[in-house]
Amino acid sequence: MKICIYCHNRIPKEALICPMCGSDVSGSEAIPQDAFYQSTLFEESTEHILDVMADDEAYSEATSRAEKQSFTFNEAKHKATRYIRFLWKKMKDPAETRKSRRESHNLYGYFTFVLSALLSAGLVTRIAVALTKQYDLLSQISLLPSVTFQIEPVVWFMKNFLLFLTFYYLYPLLAYLIKTFFLHRRHALHNWMTQYAGMNAFGLLLLSAAFVISLIAPILMAIPVLLLFLVHLSSYLVTFIASLYQTINETKRDTLYLCLGGISAHLLLVMTFAYLLFLKM
């Protein structure tokens, strides 16, 4: 073990870069632990003096935290590749084996819902702004009375993002609650979110294609874009129903009524939130 002269933390003897502060400690820049300890006995400020009696377990935990906090381009590339591989596997086989599900990260579901909300909000905002501009252009040459619309793209995008985020999160959350409290089936929430998002990997592909088309030709291709978008939204509904019907029901509650109740609750909550966003705010 040796001591970093910059942050005064213990580091491995063979380390070239301090894992705690990132300073270069190669060569003679880092001094042995005993020498550092002796030199700090007479320092006036003991604020950053290292407790040399700390055990190796505490040091290992600190080093582990520093490594987890470090961020590199290669690490980000690896995580992105792994996520894309997860979506690709889910598109080929939505109902993966238990072993494959263990290889999936628990946060993939949450990330997929946020990504879907961003793409959905961007798509709807792009179509709405394009249609508004086209309507304003036609109203200027029309002899009939016209109604003017004003859409602020940034505000519209943020409101749509919150609305679609609510839409995507509510379906798996309601399915999880129904499974837990009505069907008495236990599921880990994070794993359940990831599995639910993976079941809609193909829908995410359709949404991405619709978003790209909306950027290229929002007016000319408005109908195909909206059709692809509706198919994507419908996939979440289909997944919700399928997830409940594939669950073993050992209770007296009819699965059909559980599905209808969950869909009704989802529709009511989304419509209420949309009303508060677009009419009250």
Side-chain angles (χ1 to χ4, degrees), residues 195-259:
Q195 293 176 30
Y196 198 99
M199 289 289 291
N200 294 276
F202 183 72
L204 179 61
L205 178 63
L206 296 180
L207 176 61
S208 301
F211 176 75
V212 173
I213 296 174
S214 68
L215 295 178
I216 299 174
I219 300 298
L220 183 63
M221 302 294 292
I223 295 180
V225 166
L226 293 177
L227 287 177
L228 289 176
F229 183 54
L230 289 177
V231 172
H232 163 73
L233 296 180
S234 300
S235 67
Y236 276 78
L237 175 62
V238 173
T239 304
F240 177 82
I241 297 175
S243 65
L244 295 182
Y245 267 96
Q246 289 179 353
T247 303
I248 299 176
N249 188 357
E250 298 176 349
T251 65
K252 297 181 179 180
R253 297 180 178 89
D254 195 333
T255 306
L256 175 62
Y257 291 115
L258 293 178
C259 292

Side-chain angles (χ1 to χ4, degrees), residues 134-149:
Q134 189 71 16
Y135 174 81
D136 292 339
L137 178 61
L138 295 176
S139 64
Q140 293 178 2
I141 60 177
S142 176
L143 299 177
L144 299 176
S146 60
V147 181
T148 59
F149 296 95

Side-chain angles (χ1 to χ4, degrees), residues 118-134 151 153 156-157 160 210-219 222 225-226:
L118 288 173
L119 293 176
S120 300
L123 184 151
V124 173
T125 302
R126 176 65 173 168
I127 295 294
V129 171
L131 291 177
T132 301
K133 291 182 179 179
Q134 189 71 16
I151 294 181
W156 187 267
F157 173 82
N160 278 285
F211 176 75
V212 173
I213 296 174
S214 68
L215 295 178
I216 299 174
I219 300 298
V225 166
L226 293 177

Side-chain angles (χ1 to χ4, degrees), residues 10 51-61:
R10 290 190 300 174
D51 182 10
V52 296
M53 301 302 294
D55 55 5
D56 292 337
E57 183 179 354
Y59 164 74
S60 300
E61 293 179 357

Side-chain angles (χ1 to χ4, degrees), residues 2-281:
K2 60 183 178 180
I3 300 298
C4 174
I5 61 175
Y6 299 99
C7 65
H8 295 178
N9 282 308
R10 290 190 300 174
I11 59 177
K13 186 176 181 180
E14 64 277 4
L16 300 179
I17 301 296
C18 176
M20 306 304 295
C21 65
S23 302
D24 184 9
V25 293
S26 59
S28 59
E29 292 188 358
I31 56 181
Q33 174 179 338
D34 294 338
F36 176 80
Y37 174 72
Q38 294 295 329
S39 65
T40 56
L41 287 179
F42 304 101
E43 287 184 355
E44 296 180 357
S45 176
T46 60
E47 180 179 359
H48 300 289
I49 292 179
L50 175 70
D51 182 10
V52 296
M53 301 302 294
D55 55 5
D56 292 337
E57 183 179 354
Y59 164 74
S60 300
E61 293 179 357
T63 305
S64 178
R65 288 195 300 268
E67 291 176 352
K68 290 180 179 179
Q69 292 175 357
S70 61
F71 181 83
T72 61
F73 176 77
N74 291 332
E75 182 183 357
K77 181 180 178 181
H78 173 71
K79 290 182 178 181
T81 304
R82 185 181 174 187
Y83 175 70
I84 294 174
R85 190 184 301 116
F86 159 76
L87 293 177
W88 174 249
K89 290 171 62 178
K90 278 294 188 178
M91 280 191 289
K92 294 193 300 182
D93 184 17
E96 288 184 302
T97 61
R98 186 182 301 272
K99 180 180 178 181
S100 299
R101 287 200 296 267
R102 288 200 190 103
E103 297 175 356
S104 303
H105 197 283
N106 291 338
L107 298 180
Y108 281 170
Y110 299 101
F111 180 77
T112 302
F113 297 145
V114 173
L115 179 61
S116 300
L118 288 173
L119 293 176
S120 300
L123 184 151
V124 173
T125 302
R126 176 65 173 168
I127 295 294
V129 171
L131 291 177
T132 301
K133 291 182 179 179
Q134 189 71 16
Y135 174 81
D136 292 339
L137 178 61
L138 295 176
S139 64
Q140 293 178 2
I141 60 177
S142 176
L143 299 177
L144 299 176
S146 60
V147 181
T148 59
F149 296 95
Q150 292 183 353
I151 294 181
E152 297 182 7
V154 177
V155 177
W156 187 267
F157 173 82
M158 293 302 299
K159 289 184 176 182
N160 278 285
F161 171 72
L162 295 176
L163 177 62
F164 285 113
L165 195 64
T166 304
F167 175 89
Y168 292 122
Y169 271 102
L170 272 179
Y171 264 133
L173 185 59
L174 288 173
Y176 174 81
L177 294 177
I178 291 175
K179 282 172 170 284
T180 302
F181 295 102
F182 293 97
L183 299 180
H184 306 296
R185 295 293 170 182
R186 296 194 176 193
H187 292 269
L189 178 60
H190 303 316
N191 293 334
W192 170 245
M193 290 290 188
T194 298
Q195 293 176 30
Y196 198 99
M199 289 289 291
N200 294 276
F202 183 72
L204 179 61
L205 178 63
L206 296 180
L207 176 61
S208 301
F211 176 75
V212 173
I213 296 174
S214 68
L215 295 178
I216 299 174
I219 300 298
L220 183 63
M221 302 294 292
I223 295 180
V225 166
L226 293 177
L227 287 177
L228 289 176
F229 183 54
L230 289 177
V231 172
H232 163 73
L233 296 180
S234 300
S235 67
Y236 276 78
L237 175 62
V238 173
T239 304
F240 177 82
I241 297 175
S243 65
L244 295 182
Y245 267 96
Q246 289 179 353
T247 303
I248 299 176
N249 188 357
E250 298 176 349
T251 65
K252 297 181 179 180
R253 297 180 178 89
D254 195 333
T255 306
L256 175 62
Y257 291 115
L258 293 178
C259 292
L260 291 176
I263 295 172
S264 301
H266 182 275
L267 181 62
L268 179 62
L269 291 173
V270 171
M271 291 182 62
T272 302
F273 192 61
Y275 173 78
L276 296 175
L277 276 177
F278 292 95
L279 297 180
K280 287 295 184 180
M281 296 179 61

